[in-house]
Amino acid sequence: MAALLALATAVFLTSLTETLPAGVLPAMSAGLGVTESAAGQTVTVYAIGTALTAIPLTAATAGWRRKRLLLTAMGAFAAANTVTALSSDYPLTLAARFVAGVAAGLAWALLAGYARRLAPGPLQGKAIAVAMAGIPVALSLGVPAGTFVGKALGWRVAFLAMTGLTLVLLAWITAAVPDLPGQRGQGRRPSMLRVLGVPGVRPVLFVTLVFVLAHTILYAYIAAFLDRVGMGGSTDLVLLVFGAASLVSIWCVGALIDRRLRLLTIGSTLLVGLAAALLALPTGSHLLVHVAVLLWGLGWGGVPTLLQTAVADAGGEAADAAQAALVTLWNAAMAAGGVVGGLLLGGLGARSFPWSVLVLLVPVLIVVVAARGHGFPAERSGSAS
């Protein structure tokens, strides 16, 4: 468990660093001397770094021993965060964020398989769930905490804190995580092509791409949205409400996912859609915004677990390749969300975000409902192991 929690912490830190600018966007844009839309692209380039390099770097380093590879990735991650914290030059900041995304993508593609190999057969699915729990926990608790630190001490301190925590994690990995050999001779690219033909994988990947895009458009620019509705000083509180609701969602999903994966995914989509509809109402009510964010957290918190489980179940023997494809599409969606959100902010204003979420969730709901045989079945056939 100590080793699995170390892997979960790696997922937590890489996920938190990806979305940390969302909570400190106004201060970050002022510190770098750029617009909020431009500062939002620090989320985009991080995601691009992950999306472009996760699969090829995973293939290139397949023969490396796992512990050495994880330490290398997290060491590069710490260095990139340090540059981000200290840089006052926008292009240099973008370059550092890209490198951080590359390191995170390599770690993400490695961690699910690493966790699987640390556990005996009957517990491999649970081991993956423990390791990957870092994603929703980062969004639930990490970003609100990072926003609070950024407001109290400055956004640069928030990024330096990521460096400090990563250094602690490197020591933890060294002490507690067993080393494992690489997988020589097992290339990734052929399996990536084959996995798309496995029944159920494509619907899950489509839902991942569009659902994450919808979420990121609003989440990456939540500070800007709140500023436009007169709640700019409440970003940390709003994110805390989102985080608390997400934790409840994670618990519910964990308790029911073995029996109700399909129902939970449909419910999550509807809850996020309802939240977007409430945020789209031009009432100016702060209470309504808090209620909407509460529903958003309840809907979104368990989505990473639902989608990872669904793609692993659908992938079967090709589960590792399916997970790598999900990591790539997840970050491609986050990159696209940063770009689309920036364009919407500059062209139509922040109030267009909830409407965009609603439009994107329509095909998500259609695909989830339609994929009753494979992808999002009423009954799971077994664990991802």
Side-chain angles (χ1 to χ4, degrees):
M1 184 56 72
L4 289 175
L5 289 176
L7 301 186
T9 303
V11 174
F12 171 81
L13 290 175
T14 50
S15 301
L16 169 56
T17 300
E18 181 166 26
T19 54
L20 182 59
V24 295
L25 197 61
M28 195 172 184
S29 67
L32 293 173
V34 297
T35 65
E36 289 184 5
S37 294
Q41 302 317 303
T42 58
V43 176
T44 303
V45 296
Y46 186 107
I48 289 174
T50 299
L52 290 180
T53 62
I55 293 174
L57 276 183
T58 298
T61 57
W64 287 34
R65 295 194 67 85
R66 301 293 90 183
K67 190 169 183 174
R68 172 192 169 198
L69 181 57
L70 181 57
L71 288 171
T72 300
M74 297 310 297
F77 181 74
N81 267 339
T82 303
V83 174
T84 301
L86 299 179
S87 170
S88 296
D89 181 68
Y90 180 64
L92 177 60
T93 301
L94 290 180
R97 291 284 292 173
F98 181 86
V99 172
V102 171
L106 181 57
W108 278 19
L110 158 73
L111 288 167
Y114 207 158
R116 179 191 295 263
R117 295 170 67 188
L118 289 177
L123 297 177
Q124 287 178 349
K126 292 184 185 298
I128 294 173
V130 171
M132 292 302 164
I135 296 176
V137 173
L139 295 178
S140 304
L141 297 179
V143 175
T147 302
F148 176 79
V149 171
K151 277 193 163 187
L153 303 175
W155 68 271
R156 297 183 186 278
V157 175
F159 278 98
L160 281 177
M162 295 300 98
T163 297
L165 291 172
T166 305
L167 293 177
V168 173
L169 175 62
L170 287 170
W172 186 359
I173 293 170
T174 301
V177 178
D179 194 11
L180 295 171
Q183 300 175 333
R184 295 189 182 279
Q186 297 184 11
R188 283 285 193 180
R189 291 177 185 175
S191 62
M192 284 295 166
L193 295 175
R194 288 196 300 269
V195 77
L196 294 178
V198 177
V201 169
R202 279 179 294 182
V204 179
L205 293 181
F206 174 85
V207 168
T208 299
L209 179 66
V210 182
F211 206 159
V212 175
L213 173 62
H215 167 78
T216 304
I217 286 173
L218 182 57
Y219 192 87
Y221 293 93
I222 187 62
F225 176 81
L226 293 173
D227 200 38
R228 299 306 187 275
V229 298
M231 297 178 63
S234 303
T235 302
D236 51 353
L237 177 60
V238 169
L239 288 175
L240 184 60
V241 171
F242 175 86
S246 293
L247 286 179
V248 174
S249 176
I250 294 166
W251 182 86
C252 292
V253 166
L256 299 172
I257 192 170
D258 285 332
R259 304 182 302 278
R260 297 285 186 267
L261 186 146
R262 175 181 174 79
L263 182 61
L264 288 168
T265 308
I266 293 173
S268 294
T269 307
L270 292 174
L271 280 172
V272 176
L274 177 58
L278 292 177
L279 290 174
L281 295 176
T283 64
S285 168
H286 292 189
L287 176 60
L288 189 64
V289 170
H290 281 100
V291 170
V293 170
L294 178 71
L295 294 173
W296 182 15
L298 288 174
W300 176 258
V303 167
T305 303
L306 290 167
L307 295 178
Q308 288 160 4
T309 303
V311 84
D313 285 355
E317 293 183 358
D320 286 349
Q323 289 280 2
L326 184 142
V327 166
T328 298
L329 284 180
W330 187 289
N331 286 278
M334 292 198 70
V339 172
V340 173
L343 292 173
L344 289 171
L345 182 61
L348 299 175
R351 286 190 174 274
S352 65
F353 296 153
W355 292 105
S356 301
V357 173
L358 282 171
V359 169
L360 289 168
L361 288 183
V362 171
V364 169
L365 184 60
I366 291 172
V367 170
V368 173
V369 170
R372 64 178 71 252
H374 299 281
F376 299 98
E379 301 260 344
R380 289 183 64 204
S381 58
S383 72
S385 62

